[in-house]
Amino acid sequence: MSALPALHDLLPPAHILLITETQNKKRVFEQATLLMENISGLSRTELFRQFMQRERQGSTSIGFYGAIPHIHTDIKAPLCVLTRLKKPIQYDADKAPTSSVKTLFFLIAPEKDRQGHLHLLAIFSRLLADETLMQRINDADSAERIHRDISGWEQRHQQLLTNLCSDS
């Protein structure tokens, strides 16, 4: 397993998308994959197809008004985009109304680093479960502020992150 990047490196402000208009799930995925294409050069059409295929296998909504859409592909390092919506969207039609989502961590993990992928899912789950952090993210007016809030959370929870990512 390769070393995981720090959260503040994995989620710089350029990887944080604030969506102000009410959207549906498909449109949010389209916008996130467009940003991922702009960051990485990977095809947004292919990324969108892979993310939607993954969703058909099972929802990535985890509660706490959050979801972690994630896929594996042939990349060298993880790529993440955080998408924060102004208003929650209905994420899973068959689970209404319990599947409203407002914050999404889109993750592309290297095919060869399954353990790192699982560690990042665990970290993002912890972020989404932190009510104080999520309130700060929901109240944020810029990607820079969200980045600072996540960086601060990362500093305060360094021991937790070390424990989550240890190979015990």
Side-chain angles (χ1 to χ4, degrees):
M1 179 182 87
S2 59
L4 291 176
L7 284 175
H8 65 271
D9 292 332
L10 189 60
L11 286 167
H15 291 212
I16 299 171
L17 183 60
L18 305 179
I19 299 177
T20 56
E21 297 176 24
T22 302
Q23 303 278 320
N24 60 41
K25 181 177 177 179
K26 179 182 176 196
R27 184 68 181 123
V28 172
F29 275 57
E30 288 171 345
Q31 288 183 303
T33 54
L34 175 60
L35 179 57
M36 291 178 132
E37 177 183 60
N38 291 337
I39 294 166
S40 69
L42 297 169
S43 163
R44 70 177 175 230
T45 303
E46 181 59 21
L47 292 174
F48 179 82
R49 185 193 67 72
Q50 288 181 33
F51 277 116
M52 295 308 287
Q53 180 179 353
R54 170 59 187 89
E55 286 295 313
R56 284 189 291 278
Q57 292 172 0
S59 174
T60 58
S61 170
I62 65 162
F64 312 108
Y65 289 94
I68 312 172
H70 54 281
I71 59 173
H72 295 97
T73 193
D74 188 25
I75 58 172
K76 294 185 190 304
L79 173 63
C80 184
V81 164
L82 177 130
T83 304
R84 199 282 320 266
L85 309 175
K86 185 172 181 124
K87 294 181 183 177
I89 59 166
Q90 184 61 44
Y91 199 73
D92 298 312
D94 60 333
K95 295 181 183 175
T98 60
S99 71
S100 293
V101 166
K102 190 171 181 178
T103 305
L104 299 93
F105 288 95
F106 285 84
L107 172 63
I108 304 173
E111 188 71 49
K112 296 179 180 179
D113 190 8
R114 299 290 177 142
Q115 192 66 35
H117 176 207
L118 294 174
H119 288 162
L120 287 171
L121 292 177
I123 291 167
F124 293 146
S125 295
R126 293 289 179 123
L127 287 167
L128 287 166
D130 187 309
E131 291 180 28
T132 302
L133 177 63
M134 284 301 101
Q135 188 60 55
R136 292 181 65 85
I137 287 174
N138 287 330
D139 293 343
D141 58 359
S142 70
E144 291 77 14
R145 173 151 173 230
I146 291 173
H147 180 259
R148 282 192 308 271
D149 290 338
I150 289 173
S151 295
W153 184 93
E154 179 180 31
Q155 289 175 345
R156 288 187 306 278
H157 295 87
Q158 197 58 52
Q159 186 60 49
L160 167 72
L161 295 173
T162 300
N163 292 342
L164 281 173
C165 296
S166 67
D167 286 328
S168 44

